[in-house]
Amino acid sequence: MITLISMGMLASFLALFSTPTFAVDNAALSAISVTDGPYVFLRNGDENTAYWICQSQLKQTTIVENSLTRPSDCGDLPQPKLHAKAATPDLDTFTHVGKIVALSDVHGQFDVMINLLKAHKIIDENNHWNFGDGHMVMTGDMFDRGHQVNEVLWFLYTLDKEAQAAGGRLHLLMGNHEQMVFRGDLRYVNDRYQLSSNLLHRSYSSLYNKDTEIGHWLRSKNTIVKINNLLFMHGGISPEWVERKLDISSVNQLLRQHLDDTKEELKNNDLLNFLFFSNGPTWYRGYFEDALQASDVDSILRYFNVEHVIVGHTSQEQVLGLYDNKIIAIDSSIKNGQSGELLLIDVGTFTRGLYHGERVPL
């Protein structure tokens, strides 16, 4: 069953209950047709309903046997199947993994991401997992900037289950933009999502609260993962981490536990202030600022017993090796929506995967 809820039906309520979310050009927004979703809320009374924005109209459909079916006029929006164990935290350390692919900072650019993954046969022609027992690492920043954030999130939600079923893994790591959205920092949200926020009568951040399917799933994810002799995270590991003698699992747990804290609460705790901000693993940029000596990098590698640290966050024109490939930067500017690269790792060999499927040794 599909229910239509028009803008007019909500207009009188918005004035009373809506909270401004982010700056937007309302005239420009009214001139475009927005198709977005689905949104699945876990609060009482909403567990069996999916909400969709179809040509700027809010609609809802009933979830039957965990399957979502979009309305007929809702374009190619994802129709995922919900899975009960989606929000179960995964391990953060793996050994004896044969093949790995990594990319970063997709920022709502669904089409570029899909093109890259298809070109390198990570997914098949129908967007399903095709990487066998390999591991795929997405080092954060799915949110903000681009116009297909939900398409990215629901695709990864489905791929997460498919990878595990095939004996592989999808490691979806938290970036600074996930943390920003959860805390209500909406400076980089694409304007089109203002309409979704208004129609759903929720601030944009609350569309991904822990009482939503996607929000609940995202809050189960790690920020750092160690695979073989490789360490992955969004921003980087600073020397301060080593000085504080922190370990991966404790930090992943702390970051999950405090994702919904306010900025003020985080700033008032010394450890959380470090972990969530400039020198922490989602914000650090020291590898790109001539801030470190080679000996500093070696010290970080020894501390974790790894040979390479792989990061996103700081945009490059291509996948780039620094410090004799001890640091590998994989934010290849996918966020611009025109092209991008991924990193392929097989038996210790590092390869740049180019946009149209070509491969170049790193």
Side-chain angles (χ1 to χ4, degrees):
M1 184 176 113
I2 300 174
T3 304
L4 172 64
I5 306 173
S6 69
M7 286 284 283
M9 293 168 65
L10 285 175
S12 60
F13 294 100
L14 289 175
L16 293 173
F17 300 111
S18 278
T19 301
T21 53
F22 46 92
V24 63
D25 184 340
N26 288 318
L29 184 61
S30 64
I32 64 172
S33 177
V34 174
T35 298
D36 180 34
Y39 293 94
V40 178
F41 304 109
L42 306 178
R43 58 196 177 189
N44 291 338
D46 260 345
E47 299 93 333
N48 296 316
T49 303
Y51 292 88
W52 316 74
I53 314 299
C54 305
Q55 301 180 54
S56 301
Q57 301 269 338
L58 178 61
K59 298 187 178 183
Q60 61 187 64
T61 59
T62 301
I63 300 172
V64 179
E65 296 182 349
N66 288 325
S67 294
L68 278 66
T69 303
R70 64 174 176 258
S72 58
D73 60 344
C74 233
D76 294 323
L77 289 180
Q79 301 182 94
K81 187 176 180 66
L82 307 182
H83 46 107
K85 296 183 179 180
T88 302
D90 201 355
L91 301 175
D92 53 29
T93 302
F94 294 82
T95 58
H96 303 101
V97 176
K99 54 185 179 179
I100 303 167
V101 61
L103 66 163
S104 187
D105 294 76
V106 169
H107 282 295
Q109 297 294 350
F110 176 76
D111 293 334
V112 174
M113 176 187 67
I114 291 296
N115 183 85
L116 266 171
L117 294 176
K118 282 184 177 178
H120 293 280
K121 304 187 186 308
I122 310 303
I123 59 175
D124 65 20
E125 287 303 310
N126 296 311
N127 295 353
H128 295 300
W129 181 259
N130 191 43
F131 203 46
D133 61 359
H135 285 221
M136 173 176 157
V137 187
M138 176 75 73
T139 64
D141 280 9
M142 287 72 68
F143 279 96
D144 289 345
R145 304 186 192 280
H147 67 292
Q148 291 178 297
V149 171
N150 276 323
E151 287 88 337
V152 168
L153 292 171
W154 281 113
F155 165 74
L156 294 171
Y157 175 96
T158 299
L159 206 65
D160 194 0
K161 183 179 181 182
E162 292 180 350
Q164 291 196 47
R169 281 291 193 281
L170 169 64
H171 303 283
L172 186 64
L173 307 182
M174 289 292 95
N176 62 306
H177 280 265
E178 281 70 51
Q179 295 170 352
M180 289 166 67
V181 167
F182 291 162
R183 288 199 302 272
D185 184 343
L186 308 179
R187 287 173 289 167
Y188 300 98
V189 177
N190 192 287
D191 286 353
R192 71 193 302 273
Y193 291 109
Q194 178 68 75
L195 180 61
S196 301
S197 176
N198 286 347
L199 284 172
L200 287 160
H201 206 203
R202 278 185 162 218
S203 69
Y204 182 77
S205 290
S206 68
L207 298 178
Y208 302 99
N209 274 356
K210 58 187 176 183
D211 70 344
T212 70
E213 181 68 20
I214 288 292
H216 188 48
W217 169 68
L218 286 173
R219 283 166 175 78
S220 72
K221 298 306 177 185
N222 291 314
T223 300
I224 305 168
V225 65
K226 180 180 177 181
I227 306 173
N228 299 340
N229 65 344
L230 312 164
L231 194 66
F232 297 84
M233 79 292 302
H234 181 64
I237 295 292
S238 66
E240 186 176 348
W241 176 297
V242 178
E243 294 167 6
R244 288 176 177 265
K245 296 181 170 57
L246 301 172
D247 68 273
I248 296 172
S249 293
S250 296
V251 166
N252 278 329
Q253 179 57 32
L254 270 174
L255 290 167
R256 280 194 294 267
Q257 182 181 345
H258 293 278
L259 270 174
D260 293 305
D261 288 6
T262 65
K263 186 174 183 178
E264 291 70 27
E265 289 170 332
L266 297 173
K267 290 285 188 181
N268 286 331
N269 180 291
D270 177 63
L271 178 56
L272 296 179
N273 182 46
F274 162 67
L275 290 175
F276 275 91
F277 298 108
S278 60
N279 273 342
T282 60
W283 280 95
Y284 184 62
R285 297 188 193 270
Y287 306 142
F288 308 93
E289 299 172 347
D290 296 323
L292 297 181
Q293 302 294 322
S295 58
D296 296 319
V297 172
D298 289 340
S299 177
I300 291 168
L301 298 178
R302 281 196 304 272
Y303 183 84
F304 290 98
N305 191 27
V306 297
E307 296 180 16
H308 309 271
V309 173
I310 299 169
V311 301
H313 186 48
T314 303
S315 296
Q316 314 296 324
E317 293 182 359
Q318 63 181 59
V319 170
L320 181 67
L322 304 167
Y323 297 92
D324 296 323
N325 283 355
K326 293 174 182 177
I327 305 295
I328 302 176
I330 61 170
D331 178 355
S332 59
S333 300
I334 291 173
K335 67 183 179 185
N336 294 332
Q338 298 173 355
S339 65
E341 297 185 1
L342 45 75
L343 175 67
L344 298 156
I345 307 166
D346 194 351
V347 196
T349 299
F350 296 89
T351 303
R352 290 169 50 207
L354 308 190
Y355 187 57
H356 294 294
E358 305 92 338
R359 298 188 177 190
V360 178
L362 184 64

